[in-house]
Amino acid sequence: MHLKTAIFTLMISATVAPVVWAQTTEPSPKIFTWGDQGDGTYKNPILKSDYSDPDILRVGDDFYLIASDFNYVGIQVLHSKDLVNWQIIGQVFNKLAMDPKYDQMKGYGEGTWAPSLRFHNGEFYLYVCTPYDGLFMWHTKNPAGPWSEMVTVRKVPRWEDPCPIWDDDGQAYLVHSIKGAGPLILHKMSADGTMLLDDGKEIYRGTNSEGPKFYKRHGYYFISLPEGGVSGGYQTVLRSKEIYGPYESRQVLPPGSPHQGGMVELDNGQGWFISFKSTGYLGRICYLNPVKWGEDDWPVFGDNGKPVDQWKKPDVGKTYAIEKPRTNDEFDSSALAPIWQWNHNPVNENWSMTEHPGWLRLRAIGADTPANARNTLTQKIWDHSGVIDVKMDTSKMSDGQKAGLTFIAGNTFGMIGVSRDNGVRHIIWPDGTGPVLSADEIYLRGKYDGDACTYAYSTDGQAFTAVPGKFQLKFMFWKGGRVGLMSWGYGEGSVDFDYFHYGYGANLP
């Protein structure tokens, strides 16, 4: 294989066409202060949302991105044609099947940590560790799904951030870190990627070394990895002619830069690096930096080692439309769109897209607190300000049930909605109870400006009444703030949601 096409095992000549999920029709977005600027340039960040620990993959003319999702189910798969404009096309799994705690709402901050995505012999492979459960893999021929059942590669605690590589002779390897950030351990792996063949060998010990991504170029093995911690960390690249080392080390981005991510190279030789920067309540958001290769075969990241704020878009040979990942949902499909993620594992018999066509039904599930309420459906927060509107039908609620629109910070929830007790429905909000709801339908609104969330309600969808109090978004359990829909409490009741309208940034209503 030609060296340029072999780089990173990503330059595959075949093109895998993604299956694009049916989209709700939305107007073209206005120009944001971030992402595609419409003039051939982009401004960082390119994804102003919590796509933490990203990895990227190029297969032909298509790019794919995955990220850590922790206790949120699925691992979303994003697709792009230009590395700047992205859409969510699918999810890898529908259940965290590695331990019962994810059925018991006891996995906050656990679940899927930094994953890696690779393509080998016509197959996509995703590897991830959970901090106490083990090393797991899924594979597919189409990244939009469906994916295989979960493969337990090794049941072991305290591993993190795995990444495989298939060498030129077909031998497979996998590198990973140890919980607590280092050292890096290298294993031989079976060619089908399902089994480690040894107990591993330490190949590098640095300063908080984690998130390794393995590549091969011009006869060198490269490992790109973050060091120095989540907030103030930097990016390092290791290089060796031998896969077991010893490895030379070079810092490629300074402390405080966007770090921990994945690289790709285009046919024209342009290299690109997508990584995260920690930003408080929004979580860890994605930045795109150019990479060029020096004559000494070391990569130079950003603008001669400094991260860029604005730069010319990747030269992919065409110009593609400006788009942001979908957020709105009319619930007019028979299947749940991949923009949604469950908090922990869902109870599938307690939600439906077909019982009330055009509406999402959430049945109440008994719980003592919102943090323990299963079937809470969530999306990531986007940008520094946003407005969410939902319409909810409460006619089928039961006594003891609460349901509505919620903002989420870790395991704390601030909801505006409706409760029913002794046959009477009341409007509720964080630390407050409002008037009796006499109609079946109610319109709920949540706003955030920075980390401060406020709420309002309406009985006609026109005149909204603001309620007192605020909810604060926070970065907790390694995740940024979220918005969601929930229905919980004891009894057999349910609520139906007609739509979820979410505008943010330049697309505020």
Side-chain angles (χ1 to χ4, degrees), residues 293-432:
W293 291 86
E295 294 181 358
D296 58 355
D297 272 327
W298 279 99
V300 179
F301 282 50
D303 185 3
N304 292 316
K306 296 181 180 179
V308 303
D309 293 322
Q310 185 168 358
W311 205 254
K312 188 175 180 180
K313 288 174 58 180
D315 181 8
V316 294
K318 296 181 181 179
T319 300
Y320 292 93
I322 299 173
E323 58 180 356
K324 298 289 187 288
R326 170 186 163 189
T327 52
N328 287 355
D329 204 337
E330 303 297 329
F331 300 122
D332 53 4
S333 172
S334 61
L336 193 62
I339 62 176
W340 294 101
Q341 293 182 286
W342 299 103
N343 176 19
H344 290 69
N345 288 338
V347 181
N348 287 323
E349 58 268 29
N350 279 57
W351 68 274
S352 174
M353 298 284 289
T354 58
E355 290 179 11
H356 186 175
W359 299 65
L360 165 71
R361 175 163 292 175
L362 293 180
R363 288 191 178 86
I365 299 177
D368 53 352
T369 67
N372 291 328
R374 297 186 70 177
N375 283 19
T376 298
L377 200 56
T378 77
Q379 288 194 37
K380 297 173 172 66
I381 291 290
W382 286 87
D383 214 328
H384 288 297
S385 58
V387 178
I388 299 97
D389 284 300
V390 303
K391 179 183 177 183
M392 184 173 73
D393 183 342
T394 67
S395 61
K396 297 186 183 315
M397 290 185 75
S398 60
D399 282 352
Q401 183 181 357
K402 297 178 175 64
L405 171 68
T406 183
F407 285 108
I408 306 168
N411 62 351
T412 61
F413 296 73
M415 184 179 75
I416 184 166
V418 175
S419 68
R420 174 174 160 159
D421 295 287
N422 299 318
V424 179
R425 294 167 298 183
H426 283 87
I427 298 168
I428 58 172
W429 54 82
D431 302 320

Side-chain angles (χ1 to χ4, degrees), residues 92-93 97-98 123 125-129 133-140 147-155 189-190 192-196:
V92 177
F93 55 85
M98 56 282 297
E123 197 93 357
Y125 291 82
L126 186 147
Y127 287 82
V128 72
C129 288
D133 309 314
L135 166 65
F136 306 96
M137 181 269 282
W138 294 260
H139 58 91
T140 185
W147 288 69
S148 71
E149 294 296 316
M150 182 183 77
V151 177
T152 301
V153 181
R154 184 165 293 188
K155 194 77 172 174
M189 186 169 65
S190 60
D192 63 1
T194 63
M195 183 186 308
L196 300 184

